[in-house]
Amino acid sequence: MVNVETALKEATTSIEGAIGAALVDYGSGMALGTVGGGKDLDLTVAAAGNTDVVRAKVRAMEMLGLKDEIEDILITLGNQYHLIRLMKGRNSEGFFLYLALDRGRANLAMARHQLKKIEESLEV
């Protein structure tokens, strides 16, 4: 098991095209850890904003009566991918990993695969 800082560093160094990563509590919208980002990507603001995305999707699934789990949510922008992976492990419900990728350099399938592995090894 790895801690938050190690997991986020791994995400930004091992995933090609990674711009930044965060671990977010979607109950409060607060980022518990961030790595990367910069002047064009404020990860604290992104964490709060993406919390609204997760909450909206959870509500929609409840209204539809879907008895399934969200694995991840992909937001595709002109130059970036934003990947939100809800955590499912013991003691990690209510959290998600957020990863921003440079669309021109990222391999989305590999990023999803690597983020899943990081999620499985992360201890919150």
Side-chain angles (χ1 to χ4, degrees), residues 17-51:
I19 299 168
L23 175 67
V24 184
D25 173 347
Y26 69 82
S28 68
M30 293 188 61
L32 303 177
T34 63
V35 172
K39 66 178 178 63
D40 294 331
L41 179 62
D42 183 330
L43 290 170
T44 305
V45 173
N50 284 308
T51 296

Side-chain angles (χ1 to χ4, degrees), residues 51-81:
T51 296
D52 292 336
V53 172
V54 171
R55 288 178 186 161
K57 187 58 188 172
V58 168
R59 275 193 312 273
M61 288 177 63
E62 288 170 355
M63 291 188 311
L64 292 168
L66 298 175
K67 305 291 186 223
D68 209 343
E69 295 179 341
I70 299 169
E71 184 173 333
D72 60 37
I73 299 169
L74 172 64
I75 300 167
T76 305
L77 305 177
N79 295 314
Q80 296 177 356
Y81 292 122

